[in-house]
Structure formats: structure tokens, C-alpha cells
């Protein structure tokens, strides 16, 4: 037998159990019962023996059980299958079917079981060792011996059956999971699966072309470049986000809150805080805090990932964009394929309120800081306008994008320190200049730079949805058009607010703008659009909803 | 004709409205035609009838759009009357037009102020008339 060999080799559980069984066999309670004449005791004894076994199982080591079970193997073989499902019998089944394999030695040749079972075990062990991916070569948990022969053959022929049978075996052998023989089901499953089916638990990766047919047509070189650019943008944004914190202590307020993604209502837009800083390097704490508070609506989705933002915004806005009168395909065709679109969308939806409030506070801040130079004044105005006061949904998207990207872009700009230093110096005398629509000429250069990165993302999406290769010049033109378009939207919002005698842009201004765009009609109201295009989180912020505690949010 | 008959039976106001609309369109078309003829003679270019018809149609629709926008603006400012501010807001797109309108409105305001002053002074005193008359004359 293999005992001799086993004794020479490293002691596996099986060998140890066998030894124990051989030595302790006469002590089994079963045998005690059999020796006794009392038939009555057998029914009592079996539960008692079972209890004993369970107790000993928990208290004593597992090996004695194994030994006993191994000792029982001979009995089973002689007596045939035991009818009652005792732990002993289950262990026996395991040992019968499980291969002889040690932790260290991947291939163990010795099988204690008789010939047919040995064959099975050998085959099982072979299968286990074949993948070689598992560090632990543990005996597989198989169905009871009744199924073993059948399963073996079925395993060879049809791998699917093997899987189902394995699952059955798993269900039966779960109570035995204590012993060292039983691995966590996952591993054994993995081992059996990997050995027999060559399956992995990793989800199969769908080809991108399935989800995005447009991408499939693009030449692969383009994709690589885009990814690289995106990563670069990510780095830039991360650098940019880190930057504002260094400038002023107040800046840390919004940045900290932005990092908390889990709170949907507490996210000031990081992109916005720097944009606020554009106009107010040393803003009044109250104003900035209000801004940060109000930027919350930009939401968890609005992080500083400007590359993600435009995609998100555009994607989220897929339907909205369609509804929008925007001619740019990126906005109109924004698919929801991009992750994180919806939070951005929510941010977009939130913008209605946020922007109103933000633009309100920002415009106030603007006026408070005064227009230093007309150019400078216009720049922060443009920034704030672009970043915050957007009339249309698309504009809002762009704004956030621009805000975020603008932040990182402006970080590197020298104009920023100039602004920072000059804004507090000038008096309020030039408040009126803000109220009037900002002439685009003077600040054209300054305005472009900070938001160029943001617009470039939109341009990339535009080129994606165009489903054709695009020239760089064409993309640049698209960016210019987008820039002008969003500038115009922001100016409109500003003018509308001024027309109503207000200094802050509010929801009504946005609604008026959308009405002029033709998005909001007598039939379609703003609420309808919000409900159609925004996810629930953002809709809740815009449309009054009854909450628990007899509260209505947002307050009417 | 049958449709008109039905319309007249069921919805008289719409029928009347439709006729009025046609008359209005015709008036606009006539005015546009006159203006186009002036421009044509000025630039020594000829304009076809279809062109004039197209221009008049566009003008008419634009007027409709203006009216709706003006009403929206007035409502936005929580007013029930359309104001010069609303008109200025409407014309803000084109800078030259906005300038022109602003100048005109300023002139108009000044005239109104002077007229009001005149009325007040006429009611109260007669001594200020020459000064105002001089002011009005200089403005004019």
C-alpha cells in the first residue's frame, strides 16, 4: 500500500488520518456499539456517537476524525454505502474522492483508497495540478462517492456537467468546511473549475467596439493618443487642484469638501473655487463660503477630473443635448457610455440652483472686489460667468468643464497672480461695468487660455461623435465656436439678471434663456426637462420634493 | 373654402383672426416691398419678387418672435407693460442696433423730461421757460 511511501514522504492530512485510524480504530464508538449486544442502544448510540464526534471534532484536532473516517473506509468498502449521513461518512466520502495531494508536493502518487477510487483520485489530482495557478493543491470537494465514478467520466466528456456536479458537491460538503481538507469553497471551486473548465472568475471583457461602435472605426493610433492626452489632463487637473490650496487658506475649504465623493449635497466644485479665486484672491470669507456651499449641487460627480467632466457632462446630457438647440454633435450625441456622466448631469441640473446662487454670490463678490482693470474685471467676470452662470444645460456642462479645467489652466497663468494681487486693491466704483455685457474683445486672449483645456475635451468628444477623422484646425474652430457660444450664454444670463434688477443670476434667468433657446416652451416646462434628463439626485435639488420629517427640499 | 365655411361655423374668432393675420401680412409685405425698392434703387441692384416675398415673410415671423420675447422680458422683470428696457434687451445682439436704440431712447427720455418740466413750470412759474426753450433747442 501506499502507507510505506506515505510515511517516507511529508505527512499529509490523509496519511495522518490513516495512521490515526489504524492506531485508534478499535476506539470508535461505532465499534463499541457493535460489540455490545443491545440493539436498543444503537438508535441512542448513533446520535450519541454523532454528538461525540461533533464534540470531538470541535475540540480535538481534525486529524483524528480523518483517521477515523479513513478507518471507516475499510468498513464502508466492506459493508457498502452507509445510509446515514454522519460527519464520518461525509469525511469518508471526501477522502474517497479527494486526491492524495499535499500542500508542498503538487503531485502525490500515493492513494490510500482501493483501485477504482485511486484511479479517480489520481485523475483529480492531475487535474488539479494541471492549471498550476493555485498555490495550494487541495483535494477537491466532490459529490459523495455514489456520484464519483459517474462524475469522473462526465467530467472528462462534458465539462459543464462537472461544474454542476461540483456545485452539488459543494452544497453537500459545506458543513465539512471546518476541516483542513475542505478549503474555502471558492478555492476548490476555482481549482476544479480551472482544472476542468479553464474558467476564470474574472468577468469577460467586452470589446469596446460592442459598446461603442464609433470607436471601432477609429484608427488605433488615435485612441492611444487620446488616452495619453487624457492622462496628461488628469495629471494637470490633479496638479491644478493641488495648487489652489496653497494660495489661500480659504481655498482649502472647498477643496476639502470636494474630496468627499459620497455626500451628494456637499460638493462645492473644485473648479469653481479657483474660479472664484480668479476674481477674488482674497474674497470675503462669507462670500466664498456661500459659493462653496452653493457649489454643492455640482455634486459628487463634479470632481476636479476635468477630462472626465466634459465626457461626463456630455454623456449625461445625451438626451438633454438632443433637446438642446446646440449644434455641436458632442453635446447632442452625448452618450451615457462615459462613467460618471450622471453625477455631472446632476451637477448640471443642480447648476440651475447652484449657478443662480453662485453667480449671485460671485457677482456680488465681483462687484465687491470691483473691476480692477476693465480687462481684468472682465476676465474674472468671464471666468465666473463661464464657470457658473450658464443659461443652458450645455453651457452648464461646458462651464463646469471650463471651470475645472480653467482652474488648472489658470494655475499656470501669470494672469492669475496679477488678478490675485490686484483685485483687492480696486474700489467698488466699477460695479456697473459688470452689469453690462462684457465686450469680448479685451479679454479674449485671457479668457481663452484657462478654458482651452476644458474646451479641448469637448472638441475631442465632438470628434468622437463625428465618427470621422477630424483635422486639428477643425477641432480648433469647434473650440472657438464653443467658447463664443458659452460666453454668449453667460452674458445673456448676466443681462437677464440685470434686467430684472438683480445682481445674481437665478433660476428665472436660466429659464428665460432656455425659453429663448426653444428648449422650454409653452408645452414643455423646465421641470419637465429636469425630470427627463437629470438623475434623481439632481432632480431632487431642483424640483421640490417631500422628504421625511415633513420637510420639503428645496424649500419653496 | 369648405374649411373656411367650417371654421366660420365652429370658430368665428379664429376665422376673423386668420383674416386679420392675412391683412397684416399683406401690409408688411407692402412695406417691405417699398423699402426693398428704395434699397434697390440706392444700390442699383434689382430684387426679384420672390426675394421680397421671402424678406417680408422673414420680417413677419421675426416680429412674432420679437413680440414673444418682449412679453417674456417684461414678465421676467415682473411688469405688465413692455418697456424700452425690454426693447434694448432684445436688440443687444447687434451692437450697432443697440447703440442706435440707446441713443434714440436717451433723446426720447430727455425730450420727455423737458416736456414734463415745461408742464410743471407752466403750471407753477413762467420764468424758466426761456432756459428750457434754450435747452430744448440745443438738444434738438
Amino acid at each position: 500500500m501506499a502507507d510505506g511511501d506515505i510515511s517516507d514522504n511529508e505527512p499529509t492530512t490523509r496519511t495522518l488520518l490513516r495512521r490515526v485510524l489504524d492506531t485508534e480504530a478499535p476506539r470508535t464508538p461505532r465499534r463499541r456499539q457493535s460489540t455490545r449486544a443491545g440493539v436498543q442502544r444503537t438508535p441512542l448510540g448513533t446520535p450519541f456517537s454523532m454528538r461525540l464526534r461533533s464534540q470531538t471534532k470541535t475540540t480535538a484536532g481534525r486529524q483524528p476524525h480523518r483517521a477515523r473516517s479513513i478507518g471507516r473506509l475499510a468498513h464502508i468498502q466492506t459493508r457498502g454505502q452507509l445510509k446515514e449521513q454522519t460527519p464520518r461518512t461525509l469525511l469518508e466520502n471526501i477522502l474517497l474522492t479527494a486526491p492524495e495531494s499535499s500542500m508542498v508536493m503538487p503531485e502525490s502518487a500515493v492513494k490510500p483508497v482501493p483501485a477504482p477510487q485511486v484511479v479517480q483520485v489520481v485523475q483529480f489530482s492531475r487535474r488539479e495540478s494541471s492549471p498550476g495557478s493555485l498555490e495550494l493543491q487541495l483535494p477537491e470537494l466532490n459529490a459523495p462517492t455514489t456520484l464519483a465514478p459517474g462524475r469522473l467520466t462526465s467530467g472528462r466528456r462534458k465539462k459543464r456537467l462537472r461544474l454542476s456536479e461540483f456545485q452539488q458537491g459543494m452544497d453537500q460538503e459545506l458543513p465539512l468546511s471546518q476541516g483542513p481538507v475542505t478549503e474555502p469553497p471558492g478555492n476548490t471551486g476555482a481549482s476544479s473549475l480551472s482544472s476542468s473548465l479553464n474558467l476564470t472568475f474574472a468577468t469577460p471583457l467586452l470589446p469596446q467596439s460592442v459598446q461603442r461602435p464609433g470607436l471601432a472605426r477609429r484608427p488605433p493610433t488615435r485612441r492611444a493618443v487620446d488616452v495619453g492626452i487624457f492622462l496628461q489632463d488628469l495629471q494637470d487637473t490633479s496638479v491644478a487642484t493641488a495648487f489652489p490650496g496653497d494660495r489661500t487658506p480659504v481655498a482649502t475649504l472647498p477643496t476639502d469638501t470636494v474630496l468627499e465623493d459620497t455626500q451628494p449635497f456637499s460638493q462645492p466644485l473644485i473648479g469653481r473655487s479657483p474660479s472664484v479665486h480668479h476674481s477674488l484672491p482674497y474674497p470675503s470669507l462669507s462670500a466664498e463660503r456661500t459659493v462653496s456651499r452653493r457649489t454643492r449641487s455640482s455634486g459628487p460627480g463634479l470632481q476636479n477630473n476635468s477630462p472626465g467632466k466634459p465626457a461626463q457632462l456630455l454623456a449625461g446630457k445625451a438626451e438633454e443635448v438632443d433637446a438642446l438647440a446646440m449644434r455641436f454633435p458632442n453635446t447632442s450625441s452625448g452618450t451615457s457610455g462615459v462613467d460618471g456622466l450622471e453625477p455631472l448631469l446632476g451637477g448640471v441640473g443642480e447648476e440651475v440652483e447652484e449657478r443662480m446662487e453662485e453667480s449671485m454670490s460671485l457677482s456680488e463678490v465681483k462687484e465687491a472686489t470691483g473691476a480692477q482693470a476693465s480687462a481684468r474685471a472682465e476676465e474674472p467676470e468671464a471666468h465666473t460667468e463661464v464657470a457658473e452662470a450658464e443659461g443652458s444645460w450645455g453651457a452648464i456642462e461646458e462651464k463646469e468643464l471650463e471651470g475645472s479645467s480653467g482652474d488648472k489652466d489658470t494655475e499656470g497663468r501669470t494672469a492669475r497672480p496679477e488678478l490675485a494681487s490686484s483685485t483687492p486693491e480696486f474700489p467698488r466704483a466699477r460695479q456697473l461695468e459688470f452689469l453690462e455685457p462684457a465686450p469680448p474683445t479685451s479679454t479674449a486672449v485671457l479668457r481663452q487660455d484657462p478654458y482651452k483645456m476644458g474646451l479641448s475635451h469637448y472638441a475631442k468628444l465632438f470628434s468622437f461623435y463625428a465618427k470621422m477623422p477630424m483635422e486639428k484646425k477643425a477641432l480648433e474652430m469647434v473650440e472657438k465656436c464653443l467658447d463664443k457660444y458659452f460666453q454668449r450664454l453667460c452674458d445673456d444670463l448676466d443681462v437677464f439678471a440685470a434686467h430684472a434688477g438683480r445682481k445674481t443670476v437665478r433660476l428665472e434667468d436660466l429659464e428665460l434663456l432656455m425659453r429663448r433657446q426653444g428648449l422650454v416652451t409653452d408645452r414643455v416646462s423646465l421641470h419637465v426637462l429636469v425630470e427627463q434628463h437629470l438623475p434623481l439626485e439632481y432632480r431632487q435639488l431642483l424640483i421640490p420634493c417631500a422628504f421625511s420629517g415633513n420637510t420639503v427640499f428645496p424649500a419653496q | 373654402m369648405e374649411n373656411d365655411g367650417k371654421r366660420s361655423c365652429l370658430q368665428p374668432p379664429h376665422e376673423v383672426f386668420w383674416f386679420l393675420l392675412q391683412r397684416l401680412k399683406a401690409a408688411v409685405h407692402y412695406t417691405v416691398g417699398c423699402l426693398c425698392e428704395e434699397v434697390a434703387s440706392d444700390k442699383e441692384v434689382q430684387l426679384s419678387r420672390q426675394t421680397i416675398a421671402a424678406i417680408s415673410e422673414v420680417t413677419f415671423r421675426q416680429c412674432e418672435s420679437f413680440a414673444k420675447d418682449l412679453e417674456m422680458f417684461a414678465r421676467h422683470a415682473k411688469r405688465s407693460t413692455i418697456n424700452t428696457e425690454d426693447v434694448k434687451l432684445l436688440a443687444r445682439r447687434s451692437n450697432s442696433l443697440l447703440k442706435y436704440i440707446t441713443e434714440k431712447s436717451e433723446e426720447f427720455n430727455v425730450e420727455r423730461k423737458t416736456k414734463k418740466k415745461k408742464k410743471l413750470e407752466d403750471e407753477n412759474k413762467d420764468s424758466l421757460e426761456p432756459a428750457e426753450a434754450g435747452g430744448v433747442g440745443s438738444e434738438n
Side-chain angles (χ1 to χ4, degrees):
Chain A
M1 270 288 287
D3 291 343
D5 297 340
I6 290 167
S7 60
D8 295 339
N9 298 341
E10 291 161 350
T12 64
T13 54
R14 180 176 289 271
T15 58
L16 286 169
L17 279 171
R18 212 179 303 131
R19 280 184 217 157
V20 170
L21 269 176
D22 295 340
T23 55
E24 296 177 0
R27 278 199 264 131
T28 55
R30 281 245 145 198
R31 295 192 184 176
R32 272 185 245 131
Q33 289 177 13
S34 61
T35 52
R36 291 173 197 168
V39 180
Q40 298 172 358
R41 286 185 194 176
T42 47
L44 295 172
T46 43
F48 177 73
S49 66
M50 286 178 72
R51 259 180 267 138
L52 266 182
R53 278 183 220 133
S54 60
Q55 287 172 8
T56 48
K57 256 189 183 178
T58 52
T59 56
R62 305 162 191 161
Q63 296 178 354
H65 287 272
R66 303 280 163 77
R68 281 181 212 134
S69 64
I70 289 170
R72 290 294 279 175
L73 279 175
H75 293 273
I76 290 168
Q77 291 159 20
T78 53
R79 298 177 192 173
Q81 273 291 333
L82 291 175
K83 293 177 184 177
E84 44 188 326
Q85 283 277 329
T86 63
R88 177 173 289 258
T89 59
L90 290 170
L91 269 173
E92 285 167 0
N93 292 333
I94 293 165
L95 290 168
L96 281 174
T97 56
E100 170 79 34
S101 60
S102 70
M103 309 260 286
V104 178
M105 300 190 51
E107 292 182 5
S108 56
V110 184
K111 308 295 169 186
V113 299
Q117 289 151 346
V118 170
V119 173
Q120 291 176 12
V121 174
V122 168
Q123 284 156 356
F124 288 136
S125 66
R126 263 190 231 142
R127 283 187 193 162
E128 277 186 348
S129 58
S130 56
S133 58
L134 295 175
E135 295 177 351
L136 301 177
Q137 290 281 340
L138 294 170
E140 298 173 281
L141 290 180
N142 298 321
T145 49
T146 51
L147 295 173
R151 201 205 284 164
L152 175 58
T153 52
S154 66
R156 281 188 211 163
R157 294 169 199 166
K158 300 177 187 177
K159 294 181 179 176
R160 288 174 204 167
L161 283 178
R162 181 160 171 70
L163 176 60
S164 59
E165 285 168 357
F166 169 76
Q167 284 173 354
Q168 292 171 14
M170 284 308 306
D171 294 339
Q172 291 178 3
E173 284 152 1
L174 274 173
L176 301 175
S177 58
Q178 313 152 13
V181 176
T182 62
E183 271 188 345
N187 290 344
T188 51
S191 66
S192 62
L193 282 173
S194 56
S195 61
S196 59
L197 301 171
N198 291 331
L199 283 181
T200 60
F201 286 119
T203 55
L205 293 173
L206 292 172
Q208 259 192 339
S209 57
V210 173
Q211 291 170 358
R212 289 191 182 176
L215 271 176
R217 299 184 222 169
R218 294 179 119 204
T221 53
R222 249 176 216 280
R223 229 178 286 166
V225 171
D226 288 345
V227 169
I229 292 171
F230 260 72
L231 289 173
Q232 189 60 40
D233 295 338
L234 276 169
Q235 289 175 6
D236 294 340
T237 46
S238 62
V239 169
T241 54
F243 215 82
D246 305 335
R247 289 195 175 263
T248 58
V250 190
T252 57
L253 247 182
T255 54
D256 291 342
T257 48
V258 168
L259 293 173
E260 300 171 9
D261 295 344
T262 53
Q263 302 178 22
F265 296 166
S266 65
Q267 299 297 327
L269 187 53
I270 252 192
R272 291 196 190 157
S273 57
S275 67
V276 174
H277 289 296
H278 287 310
S279 54
L280 313 162
Y282 306 101
S284 59
L285 283 180
S286 60
E288 189 160 344
R289 273 173 198 160
T290 55
V291 169
S292 59
R293 264 184 260 130
R294 275 143 191 196
T295 49
R296 63 189 169 90
S297 59
S298 45
L302 292 174
Q303 303 164 17
N304 248 347
N305 294 332
S306 60
K309 270 190 185 180
Q312 295 173 355
L313 284 169
L314 288 174
K317 281 232 167 171
E319 303 170 9
E320 292 180 14
V321 176
D322 289 331
L324 284 176
M326 290 174 74
R327 298 168 194 173
F328 300 95
N330 57 356
T331 53
S332 59
S333 58
T335 56
S336 54
V338 182
D339 296 338
L341 269 181
E342 304 200 338
L344 281 175
L345 268 189
V348 171
E350 294 172 351
E351 293 177 354
V352 177
E353 286 191 345
E354 301 173 347
R355 296 286 166 84
M356 303 310 124
E357 297 173 345
E358 286 179 0
S359 57
M360 168 174 67
S361 55
L362 280 176
S363 55
E364 284 172 348
V365 171
K366 276 194 300 185
E367 288 151 13
T369 55
Q372 309 113 21
S374 64
R376 283 181 189 159
E378 282 154 6
E379 182 185 357
E381 182 187 0
H383 286 198
T384 53
E385 281 183 34
V386 175
E388 303 176 3
E390 282 203 9
S392 69
W393 301 109
I396 290 171
E397 292 176 346
E398 174 94 350
K399 272 211 156 146
E400 292 183 346
L401 178 64
E402 285 180 351
S404 60
S405 57
D407 300 335
K408 66 179 182 181
D409 287 330
T410 50
E411 291 297 346
R413 304 292 168 190
T414 55
R416 235 181 144 228
E418 291 173 1
L419 273 177
S421 57
S422 58
T423 43
E425 298 171 357
F426 288 79
R428 289 191 178 200
R430 309 205 190 172
Q431 296 180 17
L432 292 175
E433 286 188 7
F434 288 99
L435 294 180
E436 289 173 4
T441 55
S442 55
T443 57
V445 177
L446 288 170
R447 197 183 291 163
Q448 264 186 8
D449 290 342
Y451 304 103
K452 196 92 180 183
M453 284 304 294
L455 287 174
S456 70
H457 291 298
Y458 278 111
K460 283 177 201 165
L461 280 160
F462 175 85
S463 64
F464 164 70
Y465 287 112
K467 297 176 183 174
M468 293 175 67
M470 284 189 64
E471 282 184 344
K472 276 197 176 180
K473 289 183 183 176
L475 286 177
E476 285 174 16
M477 283 312 300
V478 166
E479 282 183 22
K480 277 188 194 173
C481 295
L482 276 172
D483 184 39
K484 289 192 178 172
Y485 178 78
F486 287 129
Q487 280 301 325
R488 179 160 289 192
L489 287 179
C490 301
D491 293 344
D492 281 358
L493 275 179
D494 213 22
V495 162
F496 290 157
H499 184 251
R502 282 185 269 107
K503 293 179 185 176
T504 63
V505 178
R506 299 201 130 247
L507 190 64
E508 300 90 62
D509 305 322
L510 188 67
E511 185 156 4
L512 186 66
L513 184 71
M514 292 190 79
R515 188 166 264 273
R516 280 192 59 106
Q517 282 185 326
L519 294 169
V520 173
T521 64
D522 297 333
R523 290 184 182 176
V524 179
S525 79
L526 189 65
H527 277 200
V528 169
L529 286 176
V530 166
E531 282 174 15
Q532 276 179 1
H533 302 294
L534 292 184
L536 182 66
E537 294 85 19
Y538 300 103
R539 184 172 118 187
Q540 278 175 355
L541 298 174
L542 293 170
I543 298 178
C545 208
F547 285 83
S548 72
N550 226 16
T551 57
V552 175
F553 179 82
Q556 286 174 322
Chain B
M1 293 308 291
E2 290 180 353
N3 287 340
D4 292 345
K6 284 180 187 172
R7 246 187 272 167
S8 60
C9 294
L10 302 172
Q11 298 162 350
H14 285 224
E15 178 77 0
V16 171
F17 178 72
W18 189 75
F19 274 136
L20 287 175
L21 207 67
Q22 287 294 301
R23 281 178 62 185
L24 198 60
K25 272 190 187 173
V28 168
H29 183 78
Y30 178 73
T31 318
V32 165
C34 292
L35 287 168
C36 285
E37 279 181 21
E38 275 186 40
V39 170
S41 62
D42 192 27
K43 307 280 181 182
E44 295 172 6
V45 192
Q46 283 199 348
L47 293 170
S48 66
R49 287 195 180 175
Q50 289 90 1
T51 315
I52 294 172
I55 294 172
S56 71
E57 181 71 22
V58 166
T59 313
F60 191 78
R61 289 197 191 169
Q62 193 75 329
C63 285
E64 280 191 46
S65 164
F66 283 163
K68 288 183 189 167
D69 285 350
L70 284 170
E71 188 196 342
M72 280 200 302
F73 290 149
R75 198 175 295 163
H76 184 247
K78 293 163 193 167
R79 281 187 267 108
S80 57
T81 346
I82 291 173
N83 214 359
T84 49
E85 305 295 325
D86 301 327
V87 177
K88 282 187 204 167
L89 196 68
L90 191 71
R92 76 191 181 286
R93 290 286 172 175
S94 121
N95 285 342
S96 59
L97 186 62
L98 181 66
K99 240 191 201 177
Y100 183 76
I101 287 178
T102 341
E103 286 174 3
K104 283 289 175 183
S105 71
E106 282 176 14
E107 284 183 23
F108 190 70
N109 282 343
V110 169
E111 283 185 23
R112 264 204 293 173
K113 281 179 189 173
T114 53
K115 282 181 187 174
K116 276 186 183 175
K117 276 187 186 176
K118 246 191 177 178
K119 283 181 184 175
L120 288 170
E121 289 172 359
D122 287 340
E123 292 173 1
N124 301 333
K125 300 176 186 179
D126 296 336
S127 59
L128 290 171
E129 278 186 10
E132 287 183 357
V136 172
S138 65
E139 285 174 4
N140 291 338

